[in-house]
Amino acid sequence: MGRFNTRCKLFLPLAGILMFAMALVPAAYGQEDEDAAYDALIAKGKAAYNVRCALCHGKDGDGKGEMKSVTRVEKTGRTIVVTPWDFTRAVFRFRTTPTGCLPSDADLERTIRKGISASLMPAHGHIDGDEIEGIIEYIKWFSEDWDEFDPDDESCFPVAINKPEFVGSADSIARGEVLFKKNKCFECHGVDGKGDGDKAKDLKDDWGNRILPFNFTTGNMKRESTAEAVYLTLASGLDGTAMPGYNEAIKEEEKWHIASYALKLMGLIKSEDGH
């Protein structure tokens, strides 16, 4: 009995080690499969990026592709120079996430699919989902900031958008005009929203380049010419530009009133009843 007990005592730890090692085998294979799938996705994304994106954004994602810039002239005579975005900075204007946060994958996909109006960025709605997913993952390779991205960080969850029924009404437009002045939007955008405010000539982006505030009377926002887009711009700002986010500084209802007034300035609401 003593010899048997001794053998049992030796066997049980060895059996435990063996069972643990065997349990690791499928996990290791699973990780290898996951890594292989990710590598394949990056390879697909790189190939698609080089064909569809590198012409403007450059092979290294630094915005230094062969297409350097596009110049357009507004009806007001303002000349606007549009240059490709630099992904190595990991700073994105068009996001649903709060100021200072990286965009969600859905944000990046939306930009790729819909493009950016009045810019170099065309719509790519015809691209299949796997290819877009690959491009999005490949873009993240251009900056180490993505390595620190935490998708579970609640402070960077997308801004909630719940459009009230009053948006676009005559009363909301009138309130929005008052708030437009109260919050000094006119200092950059001008009294009539033409982008000719007193501070307009001194505005620069985060890298020292001169930029112009939006001219609402063109009726053509880069993000989309909707109340939701105006609200989102007010809430989250346009990172890298002189447009800050006002999610905390301006009450939610007030942001929607300003959106109503912005629609009026853009000529999207014409009648006295707000339609």
Side-chain angles (χ1 to χ4, degrees):
M1 290 293 293
R3 184 181 301 176
F4 178 76
N5 287 337
T6 302
R7 287 178 179 176
C8 284
K9 289 177 182 179
L10 290 173
F11 176 75
L12 289 174
L14 290 174
I17 294 172
L18 181 60
M19 291 176 67
F20 177 73
M22 291 176 67
L24 289 178
V25 171
Y29 277 115
Q31 185 62 49
E32 288 180 4
D33 291 343
E34 186 176 325
D35 291 344
Y38 180 74
D39 290 344
L41 180 64
I42 291 298
K44 185 171 186 176
K46 180 179 181 179
Y49 175 91
N50 287 335
V51 170
R52 302 183 185 279
C53 315
L55 178 66
C56 296
H57 295 287
K59 294 282 187 181
D60 299 319
D62 55 6
K64 297 179 180 179
E66 295 179 28
M67 183 69 74
K68 304 295 183 184
S69 65
V70 167
T71 301
R72 62 185 181 86
V73 181
E74 292 182 345
K75 292 180 180 179
T76 60
R78 290 201 318 175
T79 299
I80 299 176
V81 179
V82 183
T83 56
W85 204 245
D86 180 353
F87 295 125
T88 65
R89 297 166 175 166
V91 175
F92 295 83
R93 290 171 293 178
F94 306 115
R95 317 165 325 280
T96 58
T97 54
T99 300
C101 294
L102 289 167
S104 67
D105 284 3
D107 292 334
L108 295 174
E109 180 174 354
R110 188 179 302 107
T111 299
I112 294 171
R113 287 197 180 280
K114 293 189 174 183
I116 300 175
S117 177
S119 77
L120 282 167
M121 180 66 188
H124 293 85
H126 60 285
I127 301 179
D128 68 65
D130 287 345
E131 191 170 331
I132 287 184
E133 184 183 0
I135 292 173
I136 289 171
E137 289 303 318
Y138 186 65
I139 285 173
K140 295 176 184 178
W141 275 51
F142 293 130
S143 173
E144 293 181 355
D145 286 11
W146 287 100
D147 295 338
E148 302 174 8
F149 175 68
D150 179 7
D152 297 321
D153 181 1
E154 293 185 6
S155 67
C156 283
F157 280 8
V159 174
I161 299 179
N162 300 298
K163 179 182 171 183
E165 291 185 4
F166 63 70
V167 172
S169 68
D171 179 67
S172 181
I173 292 170
R175 290 170 181 263
E177 183 174 6
V178 172
L179 291 164
F180 188 86
K181 295 174 182 177
K182 177 183 176 181
N183 290 285
K184 300 182 178 181
C185 304
F186 65 88
E187 290 186 346
C188 294
H189 295 287
V191 175
D192 299 318
K194 294 181 179 179
D196 56 358
D198 291 340
K199 292 184 177 181
K201 62 181 181 299
D202 299 321
L203 296 181
K204 294 182 178 181
D205 64 19
D206 287 0
W207 305 279
N209 304 305
R210 190 187 172 206
I211 54 176
L212 297 174
F214 179 61
N215 176 1
F216 287 97
T217 64
T218 63
N220 190 18
M221 287 180 65
K222 287 184 176 180
R223 175 174 253 153
E224 275 184 316
S225 299
T226 63
E228 290 87 346
V230 176
Y231 174 88
L232 191 54
T233 300
L234 281 168
S236 65
L238 299 175
D239 284 0
T241 77
M243 178 65 194
Y246 293 95
N247 203 34
E248 301 297 332
I250 301 178
K251 296 178 181 178
E252 176 159 345
E253 181 177 317
E254 293 180 342
K255 287 195 286 286
W256 284 113
H257 288 316
I258 294 173
S260 292
Y261 182 58
L263 294 180
K264 178 71 173 179
L265 291 174
M266 288 190 280
L268 300 177
I269 300 176
K270 301 184 183 299
S271 63
E272 293 184 359
D273 65 355
H275 295 90

